[in-house]
Amino acid sequence: MRTLLQIVFTAAALAACSPGGEAGDPAAAPVAAKSGGVQSGCLSRAYPEIGGPVSLVSSTGARVTEADFKGRPTLIYFGFTYCPDVCPMTLQTVAAAYRKLPEGTERPQTLLISVDPGRDTPEALATYVASKAFPEGLQGLTGTEAEIRAAADAFKADYSRVEQPGSLAEYTMDHTSLLYLMDEEWKLKTFFTHQDTPDTIAACLEEVMG
């Protein structure tokens, strides 16, 4: 019998930016266990095997590791700047969730870890994360192919390059679409799937961080 973790990660795997609307289409996506808020046990998704050390380059050009983010909760998303819909929609959902938090509730620091190091330079990420539609203070992280793969493996996240002959973009990236909430010690507190809404994310964040 598969665990909840296996079911959710199978549903979220490579569910991002495939052409033709297949992977990014919620109607076509596999059904995952619902997440968010008290209804599905927001505090029951703290799997110890998810998360680990990272060594990447920030959108400011600085080398960073997980130690730079300890001391505050951190919300992490693996995506890329050329992602046409799922990535920006997810980041906009996070921004909307933060706006729903009660006044005085601490917002997590928010990270976008690129799965497309060939195009997502620190400069490209700096421009992308500055969008006013995204969470305030969003930071972009990139690195070498090996560094990004190591970070993704630590979070049980997967991604792959999909060629698009004839497209101006030349290729896209399919990737796991999950949001990981790490605590002050960089340990997984909970995670969110594509089924979560600003309301369910905000309710869970309030429960976890309030």
Side-chain angles (χ1 to χ4, degrees):
M1 188 177 202
R2 295 193 300 171
T3 65
L4 172 61
L5 179 63
Q6 290 171 319
I7 293 171
V8 172
F9 274 63
T10 297
L14 306 183
C17 301
S18 288
E22 295 175 1
D25 183 355
V31 177
K34 289 187 177 180
S35 61
V38 181
Q39 178 181 353
S40 58
C42 178
L43 297 177
S44 68
R45 302 194 295 274
Y47 296 95
E49 63 268 38
I50 299 176
V54 300
S55 179
L56 297 165
V57 177
S58 78
S59 49
T60 66
R63 170 67 57 178
V64 296
T65 71
E66 72 285 353
D68 293 284
F69 303 106
K70 288 185 176 181
R72 285 183 58 194
T74 304
L75 193 68
I76 300 169
Y77 184 68
F78 288 84
F80 65 113
T81 63
Y82 273 66
C83 183
D85 43 33
V86 172
C87 301
M89 286 172 55
T90 299
L91 293 171
Q92 289 170 36
T93 295
V94 172
Y98 288 174
R99 290 194 295 268
K100 289 179 175 291
L101 291 173
E103 186 175 352
T105 302
E106 182 183 24
R107 273 65 170 166
Q109 50 193 345
T110 313
L111 306 180
L112 168 65
I113 299 179
S114 173
V115 296
D116 186 12
R119 294 183 295 205
D120 286 347
T121 62
E123 294 79 13
L125 280 171
T127 299
Y128 187 77
V129 300
S131 169
K132 294 186 181 300
F134 297 161
E136 184 178 356
L138 175 66
Q139 300 180 57
L141 303 182
T142 188
T144 65
E145 292 275 4
E147 289 167 344
I148 290 173
R149 180 62 70 181
D153 286 349
F155 283 83
K156 304 295 186 289
D158 198 9
Y159 62 91
S160 63
R161 174 168 166 154
V162 179
E163 301 298 331
Q164 292 184 310
S167 166
L168 291 177
E170 298 182 353
Y171 68 91
T172 188
M173 303 295 294
D174 276 358
H175 60 91
T176 302
S177 188
L178 288 175
L179 291 159
Y180 306 84
L181 180 65
M182 311 302 285
D183 68 13
E184 294 85 348
E185 296 301 320
W186 198 255
K187 303 294 184 184
L188 184 72
K189 194 72 173 177
T190 191
F191 62 84
F192 305 102
T193 77
H194 68 279
Q195 293 183 328
D196 278 289
T197 66
D199 286 330
T200 62
I201 292 173
C204 185
L205 291 175
E206 185 177 359
E207 183 180 358
V208 171
M209 301 171 58

